[in-house]
Amino acid sequence: MDGSKGGWRLVLPLVFAFGALPVPNVHGADRTLIGYFDTGKRTALEDFEEEGLDDEYTYRNYHLKYNDSPADNLEYEVSTFQKFRDYKDTNALDNRSSTYKGKAAYDLAGEKKQTRQVGLEVKHREKRFNDTPRNEFEQNSASSFFTKAAKDLYRLTVEGGMDAYRYEHAEEKDETTWIGRINGNRYFDGNRVNLTSSYSIARTEKERAFKKRTKQAWTGKGAYKFDNPMINKATLRANVGQRDTKEDDESDIDYDYRYWTVNGQTYHDIGENTDTTLEYEHFEKNYLFYNRDHRGYSIQNEWKRVFVKNEKARWWASVLVGHREAKFALISGNNLKRKPSS
């Protein structure tokens, strides 16, 4: 039997943002500090239908990022992302997620139109639950990369590294994964057309019950810029591969799944400080050892208004309205319809 659920949703995020705060340095580049805070109420059903939950929760997100270029060929970036979720009726799901990232890159070419960049990225993430310590984990990852690019022509990046999860109260779930990735961009007609493709493969060091040891993923995307006051740009993207739910920061479960999505977007300038985006996506998820397979589609429209935009700060507000439908296989009790929320 099939089950389906969906409904309209209106999202009115409360956003306090300060962004693009440049301070010129001695090399002529900019130091930039970007941050934002948002808070509101959602339901687990809005995030991940497959969790089978409709619990309401309050969320708070804090983000801060700083980048600098202390030398002509050197740049670095550090950031932190703090997320808090407080469920109304299920205290066991209350959690916080803390992520810290760092990235450094050095350009071997030293030319404006050519890039040969080597770099390193590191990440540390912690997830803590109020009443379920068995689900708590720490994630540490590191990867090196090499990028070769020519301005307005192409960009190619090769990356390799490791990703380790450690569970203090469930050591049998510990795992270390080795990852390889390649990304390519090709530009045509003076950057009017952009084609992007990426492929990644990940393999864990040891087998775990009900988990896939080797995972692959592929993404293809095309973008076109218009000379039209009604539409600025259109994009089309396709994704297919395998993932682990704990890689999705909003998810509180730990299962492997196969997925594919097709996504189309159009971008429009309504005025000097107002723009809107239309988006349609078709998606499908098939879990390897979990009866939550589903497919569906979503449509959404975002409006954004910039109130302050200068060399020191940028302040904006946005409104998002959308509709999402999901049909589940083998589940007859999920005939739920979401009501509009704000």
Side-chain angles (χ1 to χ4, degrees):
M1 298 181 66
D2 285 342
S4 64
K5 56 188 176 184
W8 288 93
R9 65 189 178 99
L10 175 64
V11 182
L12 298 172
L14 175 61
V15 179
F16 298 96
F18 58 96
L21 300 175
V23 181
N25 63 23
V26 295
H27 297 280
D30 286 335
R31 300 185 181 98
T32 304
L33 177 65
I34 299 175
Y36 72 81
F37 160 71
D38 67 286
T39 184
K41 291 184 178 180
R42 293 173 63 87
T43 67
L45 187 61
E46 292 181 75
D47 295 328
F48 288 89
E49 294 93 340
E50 61 269 25
E51 290 188 13
L53 301 172
D54 197 19
D55 292 347
E56 183 180 278
Y57 66 87
T58 301
Y59 66 88
R60 304 188 314 277
N61 298 325
Y62 306 84
H63 179 57
L64 194 64
K65 181 172 70 174
Y66 174 79
N67 56 50
D68 189 12
S69 179
D72 290 338
N73 295 359
L74 177 65
E75 61 184 45
Y76 70 89
E77 175 182 296
V78 292
S79 65
T80 179
F81 208 148
Q82 307 292 323
K83 294 185 176 183
F84 299 84
R85 295 172 74 174
D86 183 8
Y87 284 82
K88 181 178 180 181
D89 300 314
T90 312
N91 292 333
L93 292 178
D94 292 351
N95 67 83
R96 62 177 177 85
S97 175
S98 302
T99 302
Y100 307 91
K101 294 182 179 180
K103 178 180 178 180
Y106 183 80
D107 189 359
L108 302 173
E111 302 176 14
K112 291 184 178 180
K113 294 186 177 181
Q114 297 286 333
T115 299
R116 292 195 302 273
Q117 197 175 65
V118 293
L120 176 69
E121 292 186 66
V122 294
K123 173 183 174 182
H124 175 76
R125 180 164 70 113
E126 302 175 356
K127 195 150 192 178
R128 298 289 184 261
F129 291 82
N130 284 0
D131 298 329
T132 52
R134 181 176 172 78
N135 292 333
E136 297 182 351
F137 64 81
E138 292 187 3
Q139 177 193 11
N140 293 286
S141 62
S143 63
S144 58
F145 63 88
F146 173 76
T147 297
K148 182 177 175 58
K151 186 178 180 181
D152 296 332
L153 185 60
Y154 72 87
R155 185 179 185 89
L156 180 66
T157 300
V158 180
E159 181 180 355
M162 58 82 67
D163 192 12
Y165 283 86
R166 296 292 180 262
Y167 291 78
E168 183 176 352
H169 303 283
E171 294 182 357
E172 72 278 3
K173 297 170 67 175
D174 291 355
E175 64 180 23
T176 300
T177 303
W178 296 94
I179 303 170
R181 185 179 296 110
I182 183 169
N183 302 285
N185 286 55
R186 183 66 167 89
Y187 304 96
F188 300 90
D189 193 15
N191 205 18
R192 178 186 295 272
V193 180
N194 179 15
L195 299 181
T196 304
S197 183
S198 68
Y199 170 79
S200 67
I201 183 169
R203 183 171 176 82
T204 58
E205 289 188 342
K206 64 178 182 180
E207 293 188 11
R208 284 180 53 199
F210 308 112
K211 304 288 288 184
K212 187 175 178 62
R213 191 174 180 185
T214 301
K215 299 183 180 70
Q216 302 179 72
W218 173 84
T219 297
K221 180 180 178 180
Y224 184 83
K225 294 181 180 179
F226 294 86
D227 287 327
N228 190 311
M230 300 298 296
I231 178 173
N232 292 341
K233 185 175 71 172
T235 64
L236 180 65
R237 185 182 73 248
N239 305 278
V240 61
Q242 303 102 28
R243 284 177 65 88
D244 186 325
T245 54
K246 66 175 177 289
E247 297 176 34
D248 307 316
D249 197 55
E250 298 301 330
S251 183
D252 299 325
I253 56 178
D254 183 15
Y255 297 103
D256 285 355
Y257 62 88
R258 297 187 300 269
Y259 68 91
W260 67 265
T261 63
V262 176
N263 178 287
Q265 296 186 59
T266 58
Y267 302 80
H268 313 263
D269 277 342
I270 305 302
E272 182 178 357
N273 296 311
T274 304
D275 60 73
T276 184
T277 303
L278 301 173
E279 178 181 351
Y280 173 83
E281 181 172 277
H282 189 87
F283 56 87
E284 182 170 325
K285 281 187 178 181
N286 296 294
Y287 284 83
L288 301 184
F289 304 101
Y290 188 49
N291 289 329
R292 290 285 178 178
D293 294 356
H294 64 281
R295 64 182 183 273
Y297 71 91
S298 65
I299 303 172
Q300 64 182 31
N301 177 211
E302 182 177 16
W303 288 76
K304 185 176 180 180
R305 174 72 176 180
V306 178
F307 297 100
V308 177
K309 184 179 181 180
N310 54 50
E311 63 180 10
K312 292 186 177 181
R314 188 168 182 260
W315 296 77
W316 74 92
S318 63
V319 176
L320 178 70
V321 60
H323 176 77
R324 183 179 179 91
E325 291 279 350
K327 180 178 290 186
F328 285 72
L330 305 177
I331 299 176
S332 60
N334 275 1
N335 297 315
L336 303 176
K337 288 289 185 178
R338 283 200 299 255
K339 298 179 180 179
S341 62
S342 60

